[in-house]
Amino acid sequence: MSANIIDGKAFAATVRQKVASKVADLKETHSIIPGLAVVLVGEDPASQVYVRSKGKQTIEVGMNSFEHKLGVDTSEEVLLALIDELNADPSVHGILVQLPLPSHVDESLVTNHIAPEKDVDGFHIANVGLLGTGQQSMVPCTPLGCLLMLRDYHGSLSGKNAVVIGRSNIVGKPMAQLLLNESCTVTIAHSRTKDLADVVRRADIVVAAVGRPEMVPGDWIKPGATVIDVGINRVDAGDSKTKLVGDVDYASCAAAAGAITPVPGGVGPMTIACLLANTVTACCRINNVSGEDFLL
Ligand code: NAD
């Protein structure tokens, strides 16, 4: 069997088109321009790349992008004061504080200082609780991107056995919650799970979010299952070069699966597209404008 490739890059382009057309509609019909503020503390190279890419894509879909770059020594107090300003600014509909933050700053304090309705990362405790109780919330971007691809590929996910490998607050837990909300039977596996191979072999849907290069081999995959690979791992490719690989061994898993996301070009591009979509959703809700279901 050779799996269908779920092309996250192409799918992200269609999400961005939908976002752009909703942004144009908000401008024309309501004179509102959605705005996304991104806060970067310090000079972590990977974070700088992400922030640049977010800013560029925000502008490309017609939204306002506000970038706040703060020095690595910025105090918690100064950071919280900036978030207060952004919370109160009517031109800002989404606020994202790029993680990780320097060690002297309490990440959860900062995350929970963002107004929940502007929390486009969906990390605020209020949004976690709303998602956990099946209520309207802001949904974390990476799991949202995975869900959109799964829904697009399968239609209904009801009754499917889903295994999420990884229990982080950013990916694993919200992913499991979203799948539960879709009426999947969900297992969360993690570093202490016994007989992980057996657990994964029962899954119709496998979401791997571990951060260990190619740890899931093809013989763990039930024939025909759908594999969503969240992992982004940079590994040695010989000749002093590096390459990106996921958490699943792509070749052997693609041989067993019915569908699979590649790395790169799978989940990654969907994450920023969902951030843009979340900003538009937040903008619609804050302004009481209908049509936040523009992605459907
Ligand atoms: P994390 O380190 O916070 O969590 C990893 C999880 O994997 C933990 O819950 C741990 O219990 C589990 N784990 C570790 N070793 C395991 C093992 N041997 N067997 C089973 N489970 C094990 O990581 P994270 O933030 O959730 O990210 C996971 C991966 O996803 C990373 O590669 C990260 O780079 C990637 N990621 C990608 C995107 C994207 O946009 N594509 C976004 C976020 C994270």
Side-chain angles (χ1 to χ4, degrees), residues 142 166-168 171 190-191 209-212 215 230-232 267-268 271:
T142 300
R167 57 175 162 181
S168 71
V171 189
H190 48 78
S191 53
V210 183
R212 286 178 179 251
M215 76 161 263
V230 181
I232 303 177
V267 176
T271 296

Side-chain angles (χ1 to χ4, degrees), residues 88-194:
D89 185 341
S91 65
V92 172
H93 305 96
I95 303 170
L96 180 146
V97 177
Q98 183 68 44
L99 302 180
L101 287 168
S103 57
H104 66 278
V105 179
D106 179 343
E107 272 186 11
S108 51
L109 184 73
V110 169
T111 302
N112 290 319
H113 205 71
I114 296 170
E117 68 275 16
K118 295 189 178 186
D119 167 38
V120 283
D121 251 343
F123 297 159
H124 191 291
I125 196 79
N127 283 314
V128 176
L130 289 167
L131 181 65
T133 49
Q135 300 179 72
Q136 185 183 78
S137 67
M138 296 308 302
V139 178
C141 304
T142 300
L144 177 58
C146 296
L147 180 70
L148 292 176
M149 289 192 287
L150 283 167
R151 273 202 201 135
D152 184 65
Y153 186 75
H154 284 284
S156 170
L157 303 176
S158 179
K160 293 197 183 295
N161 278 331
V163 171
V164 179
I165 317 174
R167 57 175 162 181
S168 71
N169 291 334
I170 294 175
V171 189
K173 283 186 206 155
M175 185 74 246
Q177 196 60 60
L178 285 171
L179 291 166
L180 189 59
N181 293 351
E182 297 287 314
S183 300
C184 291
T185 303
V186 183
T187 304
I188 306 179
H190 48 78
S191 53
R192 304 291 173 89
T193 297
K194 294 204 170 81

Side-chain angles (χ1 to χ4, degrees), residues 37-286:
V38 176
V39 180
L40 174 64
V41 184
E43 289 175 0
D44 176 66
S47 294
Q48 284 179 326
V49 172
Y50 289 138
V51 166
R52 245 196 321 275
S53 183
K54 284 166 187 170
K56 184 168 166 274
Q57 293 191 34
T58 303
I59 289 163
E60 277 169 7
V61 295
M63 302 200 290
N64 286 328
S65 168
F66 308 102
E67 276 182 26
H68 296 267
K69 293 184 178 163
L70 308 178
V72 70
D73 296 329
T74 302
S75 70
E76 210 169 73
E77 198 184 359
V78 167
L79 183 53
L80 295 179
L82 171 61
I83 294 173
D84 281 333
E85 266 175 46
L86 298 173
N87 283 342
D89 185 341
S91 65
V92 172
H93 305 96
I95 303 170
L96 180 146
V97 177
Q98 183 68 44
L99 302 180
L101 287 168
S103 57
H104 66 278
V105 179
D106 179 343
E107 272 186 11
S108 51
L109 184 73
V110 169
T111 302
N112 290 319
H113 205 71
I114 296 170
E117 68 275 16
K118 295 189 178 186
D119 167 38
V120 283
D121 251 343
F123 297 159
H124 191 291
I125 196 79
N127 283 314
V128 176
L130 289 167
L131 181 65
T133 49
Q135 300 179 72
Q136 185 183 78
S137 67
M138 296 308 302
V139 178
C141 304
T142 300
L144 177 58
C146 296
L147 180 70
L148 292 176
M149 289 192 287
L150 283 167
R151 273 202 201 135
D152 184 65
Y153 186 75
H154 284 284
S156 170
L157 303 176
S158 179
K160 293 197 183 295
N161 278 331
V163 171
V164 179
I165 317 174
R167 57 175 162 181
S168 71
N169 291 334
I170 294 175
V171 189
K173 283 186 206 155
M175 185 74 246
Q177 196 60 60
L178 285 171
L179 291 166
L180 189 59
N181 293 351
E182 297 287 314
S183 300
C184 291
T185 303
V186 183
T187 304
I188 306 179
H190 48 78
S191 53
R192 304 291 173 89
T193 297
K194 294 204 170 81
D195 298 326
L196 183 59
D198 280 354
V199 172
V200 175
R201 278 190 195 110
R202 290 199 289 272
D204 304 310
I205 294 169
V206 180
V207 180
V210 183
R212 286 178 179 251
E214 301 174 323
M215 76 161 263
V216 177
D219 68 355
W220 290 12
I221 302 299
K222 175 168 147 181
T226 300
V227 177
I228 305 289
D229 191 354
V230 181
I232 303 177
N233 308 289
R234 191 164 283 287
V235 296
D236 188 3
D239 289 340
S240 318
K241 291 191 180 133
T242 61
K243 61 174 180 173
L244 290 182
V245 298
D247 288 344
V248 311
D249 176 51
Y250 185 78
S252 63
C253 288
I260 189 166
T261 58
V263 177
V267 176
M270 285 297 287
T271 296
I272 298 186
C274 287
L275 172 69
L276 305 177
N278 274 352
T279 305
V280 172
T281 300
C283 179
C284 290
R285 289 180 188 166
I286 289 166

